[in-house]
Amino acid sequence: MIEMDKIEHIKNICETMYQQIGWSASKEVIMSWGISKLLWGIHNDMATLKLKVNGLIHKGWVYISYNEGSDVYIVTLLDNKNNIKSSHSPIYCDNLGSYLDNLIEKKTEWSYKEYEQELKKSS
């Protein structure tokens, strides 16, 4: 059984992660990810924020794990059957939101017109 102090510590880290996403991505960008579930827990022995998303690029789970020793994030994309598709690190708090958007909804190199074309293709 996990000690209450550890549970509270994990919860606090995950709340901070969510705040950092909000600081580095607009509300509109975050809404475009189609988040249907937001959970916190442990993945690979690290505090992890778990998002179920329905983005243009990625549909499935996004695990954002915090490596306390390195003070960086590890982002793991999983499909809807919980198979790992990719893992990305190191990611720093100041670009967490934009990094996630690049994986979930809109590639950084896309122009607005290219993004609109991709949206039309997916409809």
Side-chain angles (χ1 to χ4, degrees):
M1 183 169 217
I2 300 176
E3 301 170 14
M4 287 303 290
D5 288 344
K6 181 157 178 131
I7 291 171
E8 193 64 30
H9 180 68
I10 291 166
K11 181 182 174 206
N12 288 337
I13 289 172
C14 292
E15 287 173 352
T16 299
M17 276 190 248
Y18 191 70
Q19 289 173 346
Q20 289 174 338
I21 292 168
W23 293 332
S24 59
S26 70
K27 185 186 288 188
E28 293 79 16
V29 166
I30 295 168
M31 288 176 58
S32 75
W33 301 344
I35 298 172
S36 62
K37 292 184 183 175
L38 178 74
L39 308 169
W40 58 269
I42 299 172
H43 177 69
N44 291 340
D45 296 322
M46 293 177 279
T48 301
L49 184 64
K50 302 173 183 183
L51 309 174
K52 176 82 177 217
V53 301
N54 188 24
L56 179 61
I57 300 168
H58 177 69
K59 294 169 182 25
W61 286 96
V62 177
Y63 285 8
I64 308 156
S65 303
Y66 180 59
N67 182 326
E68 289 188 67
S70 301
D71 193 26
V72 297
Y73 293 112
I74 300 164
V75 173
T76 306
L77 301 180
L78 298 94
D79 64 20
N80 285 316
K81 295 182 181 178
N82 290 331
N83 298 311
I84 295 175
K85 291 176 60 179
S86 62
S87 185
H88 308 265
S89 73
I91 302 166
Y92 300 94
C93 66
D94 58 343
N95 69 342
L96 182 58
S98 59
Y99 199 96
L100 290 169
D101 192 45
N102 189 56
L103 295 173
I104 299 168
E105 181 67 18
K106 182 181 179 284
K107 296 278 184 197
T108 309
E109 63 271 10
W110 288 350
S111 69
Y112 185 74
K113 185 176 180 179
E114 289 170 316
Y115 176 57
E116 284 184 325
Q117 289 171 345
E118 292 295 325
L119 286 171
K120 287 178 185 175
K121 282 188 221 175
S122 71
S123 299

